[in-house]
Amino acid sequence: MSGHLLEVTDLAIRFGTTGGGVQAVDGISFHLDRGETLAILGESGSGKSVSASAIMAILDCPPGRIARGSILFEGRDLLSLPESERRRLNGERIAMIFQDTLAHLNPVYSVGWQIAETLQAHKGLSAREARAEAVRLMESVGIPEPASRANDYPHQFSGGQRQRLMIAMAMALKPALLVADEPTTALDVTVQAQILDLLREARDSTAMGMLLITHDLGVVADIADRVAVMYQGRIVETGPVREVLGNPQHSYTQRLLSAVPGREPPPARPPVADLPVFEARELTKHFPITGGLFRRPTGEAVRAVDGVSLTLRRGETLGIVGESGSGKSTLARMLLRLEEPTSGAILFEGKDVSSLAGPELLSFRRRVQVVFQDPFASLDPRMRVAEIIAEPWTIHRDVLPRARWNARIAELLSLVGLRPEHAARYPHQFSGGQRQRIAIARALALEPEIVICDEAVSALDVSIQAQILALLDQLQRAMGLAYLFIAHDLPVVRQIADRVAVMQRGRIVEQGPCEEVFERPQHPYTRALLAASPVPDPDAQAERRKARRELAGV
Amino acid sequence: MGSFIARRSLQSLVALAGLIVLVFFAARLTGSPADLYLPIDASVEARQAFNEKHGFNDPLTEQFGRFLVDLARFDLGHSIRKDRPALEVVLEAIPTTLALAAVTMTLAVAGAILVGSLAARRPGGAVDRLGSTLSLAAASAPDFWVAISAILLFAVALGWLPTSGMGTFWHWIMPVGVLLIRPFGILVQVVRGSMLGALSAPYVKTARAKGIRERTVVFVHALRNGLLPVITVAGDQAAGIVNGAVIVETIFGWPGIGKLMIDSIIQRDFAVIQASILVTAAIIFAMNIVIDLAYGLLDPRVRHA
């Protein structure tokens, strides 16, 4: 019997029943010791989350099925334990935190109740004792005013606070093993850094083992001791983080690392002539807060965008970076004239966009196109790819005669790296990256001059992200497009943008040429953002962590 | 919360006003009461006198005006048939119907939650297949046929239960049983569907990862979330019963509002038609507000919206 805390041997998980089915996990083996963090690194579909579910005994069976293998925890095989004994381990000896905290916390119970429940279930504490302990736990993870906030519900907390609550719930009984499934994925970088600090503290104070499931190389570099790289259901490479990230042996790990944006100096950008096409002047958008019997405005307002001025030149890429709630997307919606500004002006080729009507507005709509973040939501599931791409032509009838539609659809699909025969398929038959290519083809159908990319690569795996960024760059050079590139990921913006504007709480706090802003940030917020953005190098990451602590004055 | 109730009450009043106009004129389309209440060979003078006495000779607009003035004083007119204030007649019948509805819906909801949740727990399992078949049959069985068959079997052939009326516990069994079938059938399907969704929700995974007992996972974590659509449908079904379980009340001689409405329409007892419709409408509006409040009670996100 080995002394490892957790030892997984030859674990295989299949999905689907008789005959066919998919081998989601194909014989993986790894171990984890007390006080250690093992990261399982992989892109979507690699089988990393399914493995975590199997360890927690929360795999959906059916359709999932553990085909073979063993999971030893403190020397006992979890897979052969009786159900009730297995259940008692969960929450007490093994705990888990999840990615999408809004969905993973029960929306209809107060957070205090949900934390107390774990204590009551395993320790038989009275409701009063459990609640007092829950409040103490909330305080320990840094929730202000824990006694009153314990009565609040998950939706009343921010994403970062919800993950803190999840951690409080998981740490309630000081488990020996914590499984963390993408714990910081949807969070802003500054919040991510805080959550990683909190996890590090929790691990070090209780000497628990942490199994971290992630796709983010920067997170791995920040917190893990060892890493196992998963690809198509197998572990292709495993070892200490410094070795695997510094000197990757397997070709997949090498590919993954080279796809990370910002590793190499950004490619030289073609020069941009000083020809402004899009201009925003003192743009504001306030959403009034209403109340009372007749829902009258209370006079207060949410200042989503608060006096933003920017210029986009022909053929250039202007990056807009900022964290969630900074007003980036509201700004994009106003520029697209999907949202009326409260005040300020938007000029397109010198003309006020709000005054456009009839054929002039139609022409504006044609020349300014958009690519959204979620390629699963932005393509109509009941339309074929050909119909999706051709739809703009049914509105803008003078662009292309109907006889040439099919030829042009084939051209556009080749242009974005798909095959002409894909035109007859439906969106669900494509991967996320392919769908984003379709969305780009649709945007290009009208031969626009400006494409607004609203977090267009944020939902994609790094290797796919790199491909889409290369595609956007290539299209820009060939067609002279101007991009307004909105993103929360700084290295991505650095790679693609000529100039960058940093947004915080509805305002642009700093803007200028990319290199200047990234190399010599002036505003403290820009500096904080840069320091919080993780890099896939443990030593550089430790440096950044130190810099960040100094910035925060710790 | 207070402003929410006020807003909903205001909306209900507007709807009620529209209903008042509709009911007043629609009732008068059924014909002249004089044809029913006077002997078939009554003289023209006698008819005149009858109409004069009840105000049916005045122009409709004048009658409507008088109706509104009386309504403002909560006077809903006089029943020709019973020779008593219409409101009194209606308020006598209402509790009987409400009691029937309350007992029926309590049993239907409780049974449906149990069967539906167990079915959703193991989709395709024995409970699920049996429950789905039975609930589909229940939801589609015509109630008048079930009612008459039940009387023939349990009252006439076996003699176990009384055929009609109310009074003892045994009188309740057939009306409740027959009324229950459809809401129960529909609710089992609704509970099953929403619990399937709730049980595959991420927060159920969290509860399992916390090592919570399966019973608690299903009936505490999933059920409270799965209950929201159930309330909507249950409220709708309850409104249907309050609004006059006309057929069941008539067949079983249950002296409720449904039977009263049918009788007064046949008898052209305008005041009672108007009063019973207004009172049931008010009750249904109140029920809708209660359902909305129940939503808020169950789901804090509704409460804070």
Side-chain angles (χ1 to χ4, degrees), chain A residues 242-322:
Chain A
R242 204 163 268 108
E243 272 172 36
V244 173
L245 297 189
N247 184 19
Q249 298 301 308
H250 194 273
S251 62
Y252 173 71
T253 321
Q254 291 164 357
R255 273 213 309 282
L256 203 59
L257 272 158
S258 65
V260 173
R263 297 258 304 167
E264 280 148 36
R269 311 270 319 155
V272 174
D274 191 15
L275 284 170
V277 277
F278 226 166
E279 235 179 301
R281 287 189 190 154
E282 284 299 313
L283 214 51
T284 63
K285 178 72 193 179
H286 295 178
F287 293 101
I289 298 167
T290 58
L293 179 52
F294 297 102
R295 299 202 171 117
R296 270 192 288 256
T298 54
E300 287 173 45
V302 176
R303 295 159 179 265
V305 174
D306 204 11
V308 163
S309 299
L310 51 82
T311 306
L312 180 65
R313 300 189 189 86
R314 199 171 292 283
E316 105 174 315
T317 300
L318 172 62
I320 311 264
V321 295

Side-chain angles (χ1 to χ4, degrees), chain A residues 104 106 109 114 117-118 122, chain B residues 206 210-211 220-221 225 304:
Chain A
H104 278 93
N106 199 321
Y109 293 101
Q114 294 188 56
E117 191 191 20
T118 310
H122 293 282
Chain B
T206 308
K210 282 159 79 178
V220 176
H221 280 271
N225 285 280
H304 300 134

Side-chain angles (χ1 to χ4, degrees), chain A residues 156-168:
Chain A
Q156 293 167 292
F157 292 85
S158 69
Q161 284 178 320
R162 276 197 297 269
Q163 193 55 279
R164 286 171 188 273
L165 293 165
M166 270 264 168
I167 292 171

Side-chain angles (χ1 to χ4, degrees), chain A residues 53 56 58 60 87-88 90-92 94-96 98 103-109 113-115 117-118 121-122 153 155-156 166 169 292-295, chain B residues 3-4 6-8 10 121 200-214 216 219-222 224-225 228 298-301 303-304:
Chain A
S53 300
M56 291 306 292
I58 54 170
D60 290 318
R87 176 177 61 72
R88 274 198 290 274
N90 269 5
E92 179 158 16
I94 311 175
M96 184 165 185
F98 297 89
H104 278 93
L105 289 167
N106 199 321
V108 299
Y109 293 101
W113 184 90
Q114 294 188 56
I115 297 172
E117 191 191 20
T118 310
H122 293 282
Y153 294 87
H155 71 274
Q156 293 167 292
M166 270 264 168
M169 198 151 84
L293 179 52
F294 297 102
R295 299 202 171 117
Chain B
S3 92
F4 168 78
R7 193 160 53 232
R8 287 303 306 265
L10 210 66
R121 179 74 192 82
S200 62
Y203 53 79
V204 164
K205 278 208 156 89
T206 308
R208 295 204 168 117
K210 282 159 79 178
I212 305 302
R213 258 201 311 264
E214 190 59 25
T216 315
F219 290 106
V220 176
H221 280 271
R224 184 150 162 199
N225 285 280
L228 297 172
L298 278 176
D299 191 342
R301 289 165 300 181
R303 204 150 65 223
H304 300 134

Side-chain angles (χ1 to χ4, degrees), chain A residues 343-361:
Chain A
S343 68
I346 302 164
L347 303 181
F348 179 67
E349 292 182 331
K351 263 194 188 151
D352 189 348
V353 166
S354 66
S355 71
L356 297 180
E360 271 188 328
L361 178 62

